[in-house]
């Protein structure tokens, strides 16, 4: 409400200065309205839009896609959208029902259709899961494909700004390619090629892209947090067998499993951030997919060599 009031005051103040501002106001309401479900999609879309479109992130910072249910307000946001980007995995099964209801007129794009997906892997002791792993963006190579899909969609829906969208996407994919090259360089020159993630494991596409092996506590974005003795023993065995000195925990985790492994082996824990959910503090501080992945790159270099 405070934000809305602030905007109203700004518009009011601008209105006093004359006709030029009326024109600007009309241009703003004509902007393409784009809604993206989660942070990586939102971040890619705003990079391509570069301010030419209004981009909204549907899930509030800090809220988990795996327990998300759209509110009436969320549905209103989607009803007023021109374009809607979503991943299309287990985390947003609610989308298919909403689209089938016919309430949403936005051009809706499922990003899992853009990339090659893999089945989510069940880890020892877990019930076998059959769904495709939805954490496609954790590979920068996939991120580039996703950005190109976003670019093509924005160009088709808003041809007046197509040149800007293409230029923004070209600059952004160049940065993603640099990141991908740097991550490959870290993996290719590393002392070891196995990581231990003592947490849920939304990193399948990242390790596949880099050719790394892994041991994880739980598959995908399991909401399990209470590691069994056998899970912790399995991770400890990998730490000892591979002479590993750093294990990972995922973002917004209680870190209990990592703590248990660290206590029993003397190793240290590092963050591996999937970008799926950013905290409110990180969001407000302006983190991006690129800044998060840069930090992942540094932590991977430490874990693979330290
Ligand atoms: Zn997830």
């Amino acid at each position: 409400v405070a934000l809305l009031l602030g905007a109203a005051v700004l518009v009011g103040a601008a209105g006093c200065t004359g006709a030029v501002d009326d024109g600007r106001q009309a241009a703003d309401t004509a902007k393409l309205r784009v809604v993206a479900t989660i942070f990586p999609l939102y971040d890619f879309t705003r990079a391509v839009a570069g301010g030419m479109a209004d981009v909204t992130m549907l899930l509030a910072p800090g809220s988990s896609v795996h327990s998300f249910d759209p509110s009436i307000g969320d549905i209103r946001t989607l009803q007023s959208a021109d374009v809607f980007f979503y991943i299309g995995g287990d985390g947003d099964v609610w989308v298919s029902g909403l689209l089938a209801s016919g309430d949403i007129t936005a051009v809706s794009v499922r990003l899992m259709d853009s990339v090659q997906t893999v089945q989510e892997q069940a880890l020892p002791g877990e019930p076998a899961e059959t769904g495709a792993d939805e954490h496609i963006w954790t590979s920068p190579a996939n991120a580039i494909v996703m950005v190109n899909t976003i670019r093509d969609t924005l160009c088709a829906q808003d041809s007046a700004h197509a040149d800007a969208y293409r230029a923004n996407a070209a600059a952004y994919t160049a940065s993603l390619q640099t990141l991908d090259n740097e991550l490959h360089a870290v993996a290719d020159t590393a002392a070891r090629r196995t990581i231990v993630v003592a947490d849920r494991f939304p990193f399948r596409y990242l390790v596949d892209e880099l050719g790394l092996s892994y041991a994880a506590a739980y598959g995908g974005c399991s909401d399990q947090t209470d590691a069994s003795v056998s899970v912790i023993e399995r991770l400890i065995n990998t730490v000892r067998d591979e002479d590993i000195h750093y294990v990972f925990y995922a973002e917004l985790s209680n870190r209990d499993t990592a703590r248990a492994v660290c206590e029993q082996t003397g190793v240290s824990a590092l963050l591996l951030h999937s970008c799926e959910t950013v905290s409110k503090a990180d969001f407000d501080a302006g983190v991006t997919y690129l800044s998060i992945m840069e930090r992942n790159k540094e932590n991977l270099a430490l874990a693979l060599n330290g």
Side-chain angles (χ1 to χ4, degrees):
V1 173
L3 267 175
L4 284 174
L5 279 175
V9 168
L10 276 175
V11 168
C16 298
T17 59
V20 174
D21 297 289
D22 293 343
R24 184 187 300 162
Q25 215 177 312
D28 277 350
T29 49
K31 268 188 183 178
L32 193 70
R33 281 164 299 185
V34 186
V35 175
T37 48
I38 58 172
F39 181 75
L41 275 184
Y42 165 77
D43 194 42
F44 298 164
T45 306
R46 72 177 167 181
V48 176
M52 298 295 169
D54 279 329
V55 185
T56 303
M57 184 165 79
L58 191 66
L59 272 74
S63 61
S64 167
V65 65
H66 296 284
S67 57
F68 179 75
D69 233 342
S71 67
I72 300 289
D74 294 328
I75 289 169
R76 286 210 187 98
T77 300
L78 288 169
Q79 282 172 333
S80 65
D82 300 307
V83 176
F84 174 40
F85 292 121
Y86 65 106
I87 296 291
D90 291 343
D92 45 21
V93 279
W94 55 269
V95 171
S96 48
L98 197 62
L99 294 183
S101 75
D103 284 350
I104 309 296
T105 56
V107 171
S108 300
V109 180
R110 178 181 188 261
L111 273 299
M112 278 175 87
D113 291 335
S114 292
V115 300
Q116 202 74 40
T117 58
V118 295
Q119 294 301 107
E120 190 169 310
Q121 229 166 6
L123 292 162
E126 280 192 330
E129 287 182 66
T130 52
D133 191 321
E134 66 210 87
H135 306 94
I136 50 177
W137 62 87
T138 58
S139 151
N142 278 355
I144 289 171
V145 176
M146 295 167 73
V147 167
N148 288 339
T149 298
I150 291 166
R151 173 203 62 198
D152 292 347
T153 307
L154 297 192
C155 286
Q157 299 308 315
D158 180 20
S159 54
H161 295 111
D163 287 347
Y165 296 144
R166 284 195 200 98
N168 294 340
Y172 188 56
T173 51
S175 301
L176 291 170
Q177 189 59 61
T178 301
L179 167 71
D180 192 45
N181 295 345
E182 289 171 357
L183 281 164
H184 274 281
V186 165
D188 293 349
T189 58
R192 61 182 79 81
R193 304 196 62 85
T194 301
I195 60 168
V196 170
V197 179
D199 216 315
R200 65 185 193 274
F201 190 73
F203 306 105
R204 177 69 191 285
Y205 295 91
L206 177 65
V207 296
D208 281 3
E209 170 68 24
L210 301 181
L212 299 175
S213 304
Y214 69 94
Y218 323 104
C221 264
S222 167
D223 53 9
Q224 262 186 285
T225 52
D226 211 6
S228 66
V229 172
S230 70
V231 164
I232 292 172
E233 273 177 359
R234 179 166 54 77
L235 298 176
I236 288 171
N237 286 340
T238 308
V239 164
R240 291 190 173 137
D241 291 349
E242 306 282 336
D243 188 26
I244 280 167
H245 299 155
Y246 295 93
V247 298
F248 288 107
Y249 57 89
E251 78 275 13
L252 306 181
S253 157
N254 64 15
R255 306 185 199 179
D256 281 352
T257 309
R259 201 172 294 120
V261 172
C262 290
E263 275 169 9
Q264 295 190 50
T265 58
V267 302
S268 305
L270 295 169
L271 171 66
L272 196 58
H273 197 308
S274 77
C275 304
E276 181 171 77
T277 307
V278 298
S279 67
K280 173 108 176 41
D282 280 352
F283 188 82
D284 291 346
V287 297
T288 63
Y289 176 85
L290 285 170
S291 71
I292 291 169
M293 293 298 281
E294 278 295 321
R295 191 164 163 209
N296 284 343
K297 185 186 77 186
E298 287 161 21
N299 285 352
L300 279 169
L302 198 52
L304 293 172
N305 297 295

